Amino acid sequence: MQMIKRMLVLMLCLLAMKAGAQHTAGEVFFNWKEIAPLPGADGLAGSYAGVSNGALIVAGGANFPGNTRPWAGGIKTWYDTIWVLENESSEWKAAGKLPRPMGYGVSLTTPNGLLCIGGGNAEGNYMDVFLLKYVNGKIETENLPALPEPLANACGVLLNGRVYVTGGQTSPTGGTTRHCRVLGPGGGQWQPLPDLPGPGRMLAMAGAMDGKVYIFGGVDLQQGQRKYLQDAWVYQPGGAWKQVANLPYPLAAAPTPAYEAGQSHLLLFGGDDGVNAVKAGDLKDAHPGFSNKVLAYNTLTDAWSVTGSMPSNMLPDAALNPHASTYAPVTTPLVVWNNNVVLPGGEARPAVRSKKVLVAAPRQPEGRFGGLDWTVIGAYFLLVIAISVTVSRKMGNSTSDFFLGGQKIPWWAAGLSIFGSKLSALTFIAIPAKAYATDWVYILNNLMIIVVAPIVTMFYLPYFRKLKLTSVYEYLQIRFNTRVKLLGSLTFVLFQLSRLGVVIYLPALVLSTVTGTNIFACILLTTVVTTAYSVLGGIEAVVWTEVMQVFVLLGGALVSFFFMAANTDGGLSGMMNEAWQQDKLRVANLGWSISEPVLWVVVVGAFLTNLVTYTSDQVVVQRYLTTSTEKEARRSIYTNALMVIPATFIFFGVGTALWFFYRRHPGSLNPHGRVDDVFPWFISQQLPAGLSGLVIAGLFAATMSTISSSMNSIATVVTTDFYKTFRKQATDLQSLRFAKIVTVFLGIIGCGIAMYLVYLQNASIWDQYLKIIGLFGGCLAGMFAAGIFFPRINGRGIFAGFILSSIGLYFVQQSSAISFFLYPLFAVVGCVVMGYIFSWVLPEKPGAQQVIQMNDE
């Protein structure tokens, strides 16, 4: 009771801190500032800029000296000085010279230094390609393979070690080109790529994300006149150019490459929209400057939005004192330095160069999560704790009650609990995120339980029930020997520890996303509360809590789905039509590849993944062992299988609805967000106050139940298979006390793994979870399959088969040539085949193993 009181005090303190805050997300996604201005009196545009050894480099460029405009006789002058800024608080210093005065080339920051491609000056354009490295206070220049033709005002991007360059001009007075080139990481020569469709272009913007190259807008020269372009294109290496959504308006000369925000956004800062291009000569010093809008392109929804603005302030004395005003610059590279966006110099207005160095620090906005939402969460957690306390009062003081609930759980509750243990944050967050980002190809991974359930009830369940097991791995000792049991138990513990980190990480990600709270604090809070809950509750409290959570979570998902459909132009029918046209409802990829999720790979992998889960995972098996009879256990398994069908369609539907909603409302999405953030972000931003709190509270409560289930199952295995094996004289009370100590220790380990996952920054956490199942669970399921279906396989053989198949699976995992869906296939088949072979090579004495005969219960 003392622990319960402490937990209640902790949550009440949390409510007291947060209840008064009502966060409203705005369009402030960057915090802007200025650092040391560029040297000289006139600023620079068209410079090369990037980073080497942690220092910011700005080289070359051009201006009009003395601030003399061309209409007043000013002459454009080019420079070759290389300037370096070692940190934000230092001063610029000259560190070297370019091969000649030049500018308006492509600038790319590489791991080896600043890559400068092409460029030109008043005399002509150049084919030069060179690398600038800042070493010991000086610039070192390394020449690289030259371009096939002179080029200036082109755009380029670095992708997977390869350099892509597109468009530009071959001479200062020539037309624009559509040529595209690539330079591999190993050097060699520039190789041609398919020409960019549409007109030739210069001053376009490039970007890279998710293995693809993007080209946006630019300017085409037609008979000496500029035509501003609005089209956008994507290229996947090895494929062809494809057109994507047009820019909201024609645009050119924005700082490039585009900024990669989050996992699905490319951002363009400002640029010349051409509105004042025709009358620029008439406006002269009255020119207002260029666009200060920040455009965001979502690569998943193929939609543009205005997602903020750059600092811009034109003062009355701008003509006489141009550097006092602040403008959104064009014709300058975008540099990422110390995780911030840096725009050094650039063209402020026609014939006016900027000295300012603007720095934008990405800012994660907080969700709209207010006092009512926190109140709902607090009330909901109190209800969950009340259920846990009520059930725990009836729980006996024995390991049987703690691990199996006295085998008095009704079949329907056990079935819902099996379903609820899998309906965690992994389901609630990762599956909608996967459907939002891709399609429905992964849906078979869940639906194959329909095929697996009859196999489990017909072949596996009778053994587990007849042997009156507490830990499912006790079967391996009865069938084979103690060594095999300990190996299986250890594998389960390792697998569950990996899973434990995932299911702690995801709800912490939710809370961090919707409230702005530090994710590490969220992980710590979740772990502390859940560990206390797990120690007190026992399996019976876990089961009844999960029963309640199933309905809350499914209800929350349905509410979110219909809310999105109702609040998006086109409604449900429009969503289905558009999703169908864009292949978002695709359920199968045809083909015979073993490296891609084609139909046969998903079917085989999904079947074996479910077989792994429902035959060798203590979390699931333990639940259908809590019922009083084999008949009720069978009903619980089918109850779970039938619940999976509608739930799977609901959560995949939520993912598609999210894609449709944010395709229509692209400005409502956080550009810095991860893909796995998308559903939590929607909940916090779009659902009405109170309802969002209810959905998040339900998610957290179910997630904590899932975590406590893992902790309880691991504690069951460690106590039953290890502690009781090596301490045969231990009393049941000592075993119970040991199980609770193990649970606390598991909380500490799970917390550490979850914090490590924060640094991985995976695009899809579901992919990582499926890989974990394939690596840890497949060989384990192979041992159970060998024991039940192959009576000739003995303990020595299956032990050797498990070790060798695990080693083989490790090397399979290292190769990207094989889809992770097939890991269980290699694991199960490898374990059985190798076990059979080594049973023949290493026979055991008669009576060394048992082949268990089953009779009807």
Side-chain angles (χ1 to χ4, degrees):
M1 289 303 295
Q2 280 296 109
M3 190 172 295
I4 295 175
K5 291 178 181 178
R6 291 174 183 174
M7 189 162 55
L8 291 176
V9 170
L10 177 64
M11 287 190 296
L12 289 173
C13 291
L14 179 65
L15 286 174
M17 289 188 295
K18 292 290 187 177
Q22 178 68 38
H23 302 300
T24 302
E27 293 184 339
V28 182
F29 295 113
F30 291 91
N31 294 324
W32 291 88
K33 66 179 180 181
E34 296 180 20
I35 58 176
L38 293 172
D42 302 305
L44 292 166
S47 302
Y48 303 92
V51 176
S52 175
N53 287 326
L56 178 63
I57 301 173
V58 175
N63 62 26
F64 290 88
N67 230 0
T68 306
R69 316 292 198 271
W71 50 83
I75 299 176
K76 192 173 187 178
T77 302
W78 308 78
Y79 298 89
D80 60 1
T81 305
I82 302 175
W83 298 97
V84 171
L85 187 69
E86 294 185 338
N87 55 68
E88 289 188 2
S89 59
S90 63
E91 297 294 329
W92 291 94
K93 66 178 182 178
K97 297 284 187 179
L98 293 175
R100 64 180 67 82
M102 60 193 299
Y104 296 92
V106 175
S107 300
L108 298 173
T109 296
T110 75
N112 298 321
L114 168 57
L115 181 62
C116 305
I117 304 169
N121 55 30
E123 298 177 0
N125 295 343
Y126 301 99
M127 298 187 292
D128 299 19
V129 179
F130 50 89
L131 194 67
L132 300 181
K133 303 177 184 179
Y134 184 61
V135 181
N136 297 325
K138 294 183 179 180
I139 290 291
E140 296 180 358
T141 302
E142 178 184 348
N143 290 319
L144 297 176
L147 290 165
E149 57 188 354
L151 212 57
N153 293 318
C155 66
V157 72
L158 186 68
L159 175 65
N160 297 330
R162 296 180 179 272
V163 180
Y164 295 82
V165 173
T166 301
Q169 291 175 284
T170 57
S171 69
T173 58
T176 53
T177 178
R178 300 189 299 123
H179 295 166
C180 303
R181 311 281 182 179
V182 62
L183 180 66
Q189 301 299 313
W190 290 85
Q191 301 297 322
L193 294 175
D195 284 352
L196 187 68
R201 68 192 67 213
M202 66 176 189
L203 298 175
M205 292 71 67
M209 181 162 280
D210 195 26
K212 300 174 184 177
V213 175
Y214 292 84
I215 302 296
F216 306 118
V219 168
D220 179 28
L221 294 178
Q222 297 179 351
Q223 298 178 347
Q225 299 297 316
R226 289 190 171 195
K227 179 183 179 182
Y228 286 77
L229 303 176
Q230 193 173 350
D231 55 345
W233 301 86
V234 63
Y235 173 78
Q236 186 156 12
W241 289 99
K242 294 182 180 178
Q243 190 163 12
V244 294
N246 284 348
L247 289 151
Y249 43 81
L251 194 67
T256 185
Y259 176 67
E260 297 177 49
Q263 294 177 328
S264 59
H265 282 86
L266 291 172
L267 270 55
L268 298 177
F269 291 82
D272 182 4
D273 56 16
V275 171
N276 296 308
V278 176
K279 51 186 178 180
D282 298 328
L283 288 172
K284 297 181 180 178
D285 283 326
H287 193 289
F290 303 103
S291 171
N292 70 338
K293 295 178 181 177
V294 179
L295 291 181
Y297 174 69
N298 188 320
T299 60
L300 299 179
T301 62
D302 188 30
W304 289 91
S305 62
V306 176
T307 188
S309 60
M310 304 167 62
S312 179
N313 181 25
M314 184 174 175
L315 300 176
D317 65 346
L320 298 176
N321 187 14
H323 300 302
S325 298
T326 301
Y327 300 94
V330 299
T331 61
T332 187
L334 183 146
V335 180
V336 177
W337 187 36
N338 298 329
N339 298 317
N340 293 334
V341 175
V342 179
L343 306 178
E347 186 173 347
R349 291 187 293 137
V352 177
R353 285 13 182 182
S354 175
K355 294 177 54 178
K356 295 180 183 293
V357 180
L358 302 179
V359 177
R363 176 182 178 273
Q364 280 285 359
E366 295 182 352
R368 186 183 293 113
F369 212 70
L372 181 58
D373 295 307
W374 283 107
T375 302
V376 171
I377 286 181
Y380 203 81
F381 273 128
L382 291 176
L383 176 61
V384 171
I385 292 171
I387 293 174
S388 176
V389 170
T390 302
V391 174
S392 64
R393 285 177 177 174
K394 301 178 182 179
M395 184 181 69
N397 198 24
S398 70
T399 54
S400 176
D401 290 317
F402 191 76
F403 297 145
L404 296 178
Q407 290 192 312
K408 57 186 178 183
I409 304 296
W411 61 267
W412 58 270
L416 290 176
S417 180
I418 295 173
F419 175 71
S421 70
K422 298 302 172 185
L423 189 64
S424 65
L426 188 64
T427 307
F428 202 87
I429 300 173
I431 292 180
K434 192 68 180 179
Y436 160 78
T438 57
D439 47 36
W440 286 33
V441 166
Y442 280 26
I443 195 171
L444 291 176
N445 190 71
N446 287 8
L447 297 183
M448 286 302 290
I449 180 57
I450 302 171
V451 179
V452 170
I455 297 174
V456 173
T457 57
M458 186 179 301
F459 296 104
Y460 290 83
L461 180 61
Y463 285 94
F464 298 156
R465 293 292 307 193
K466 183 178 180 65
L467 297 174
K468 301 184 184 303
L469 306 177
T470 299
S471 162
V472 68
Y473 310 107
E474 292 176 288
Y475 167 79
L476 297 177
Q477 179 174 6
I478 298 171
R479 172 62 175 83
F480 298 114
N481 55 48
T482 302
R483 272 198 322 165
V484 175
K485 178 194 76 170
L486 294 178
L487 179 62
S489 300
L490 180 61
T491 302
F492 165 78
V493 170
L494 292 175
F495 160 59
Q496 278 298 322
L497 284 176
S498 301
R499 180 179 185 270
L500 189 61
V502 173
V503 295
I504 292 174
Y505 162 72
L506 281 175
L509 175 63
V510 174
L511 187 58
S512 175
T513 300
V514 302
T515 67
T517 307
N518 182 277
I519 190 169
F520 294 104
C522 297
I523 288 173
L524 187 61
L525 176 64
T526 304
T527 306
V528 169
V529 175
T530 309
T531 302
Y533 174 84
S534 303
V535 171
L536 289 175
I539 189 66
E540 188 174 2
V542 169
V543 166
W544 287 110
T545 303
E546 286 173 342
V547 168
M548 177 185 63
Q549 300 311 323
V550 164
F551 296 102
V552 173
L553 277 175
L554 289 180
L558 279 172
V559 167
S560 300
F561 175 81
F562 286 112
F563 185 90
M564 281 183 273
N567 288 275
T568 309
D569 292 339
L572 183 59
S573 61
M575 179 186 76
M576 299 302 293
N577 288 334
E578 189 163 333
W580 179 266
Q581 292 172 5
Q582 298 294 324
D583 270 349
K584 296 296 291 184
L585 300 179
R586 179 174 52 194
V587 296
N589 294 320
L590 301 181
W592 295 102
S593 170
I594 63 172
S595 62
E596 301 295 330
V598 295
L599 180 60
W600 80 269
V601 168
V602 176
V603 168
V604 172
F607 171 78
L608 290 172
T609 296
N610 279 279
L611 189 68
V612 168
T613 300
Y614 288 88
T615 63
S616 60
D617 186 346
Q618 174 72 15
V619 173
V620 175
V621 176
Q622 185 173 344
R623 277 162 170 72
Y624 58 74
L625 293 179
T626 60
T627 59
S628 57
T629 65
E630 180 181 329
K631 182 178 179 181
E632 291 212 342
R634 188 179 299 113
R635 287 180 175 178
S636 71
I637 293 172
Y638 281 114
T639 298
N640 165 72
L642 292 176
M643 287 294 294
V644 165
I645 299 172
T648 298
F649 281 97
I650 289 172
F651 285 106
F652 273 87
V654 166
T656 302
L658 285 166
W659 171 83
F660 183 66
F661 180 85
Y662 284 118
R663 189 171 165 86
R664 291 291 189 276
H665 305 91
S668 299
L669 195 57
N670 175 17
H672 301 308
R674 294 158 290 208
V675 173
D676 283 321
D677 291 350
V678 63
F679 192 25
W681 179 258
F682 171 83
I683 293 169
S684 70
Q685 292 291 310
Q686 304 298 331
L687 291 182
L691 182 58
S692 58
L694 179 62
V695 176
I696 294 295
L699 168 62
F700 262 81
T703 301
M704 290 179 179
S705 294
T706 303
I707 298 171
S708 65
S709 299
S710 294
M711 289 180 171
N712 186 276
S713 297
I714 297 173
T716 301
V717 170
V718 172
T719 303
T720 304
D721 296 339
F722 291 94
Y723 183 75
K724 289 186 177 181
T725 298
F726 297 107
R727 289 203 60 184
K728 300 183 184 296
Q729 305 304 317
T731 65
D732 192 66
L733 185 60
Q734 288 174 323
S735 297
L736 179 62
R737 188 180 300 115
F738 175 78
K740 292 185 176 183
I741 293 173
V742 168
T743 304
V744 174
F745 186 62
L746 290 172
I748 297 172
I749 295 177
C751 181
I753 295 174
M755 290 183 176
Y756 172 69
L757 286 175
V758 175
Y759 290 104
L760 291 183
Q761 294 290 311
N762 293 117
S764 174
I765 201 70
W766 199 21
D767 286 355
Q768 305 309 311
Y769 177 59
L770 293 177
K771 289 178 183 178
I772 289 171
I773 290 180
L775 285 174
F776 286 93
C779 296
L780 188 57
M783 288 202 295
F784 282 88
I788 289 175
F789 297 109
F790 299 92
R792 296 193 177 212
I793 296 180
N794 61 35
R796 291 178 178 176
I798 198 61
F799 192 93
F802 181 95
I803 298 298
L804 290 176
S805 61
S806 298
I807 294 172
L809 185 60
Y810 171 78
F811 288 105
V812 168
Q813 191 268 344
Q814 297 304 306
S815 171
S816 58
I818 297 174
S819 170
F820 61 80
F821 269 108
L822 294 181
Y823 293 172
L825 174 64
F826 284 90
V828 174
V829 174
C831 187
V832 171
V833 171
M834 298 302 294
Y836 198 94
I837 293 173
F838 277 90
S839 295
W840 180 72
V841 174
L842 303 170
E844 291 183 340
K845 295 179 181 179
Q849 68 180 69
Q850 299 184 48
V851 178
I852 307 159
Q853 300 296 326
M854 289 291 103
N855 298 316
D856 293 336
E857 186 172 357

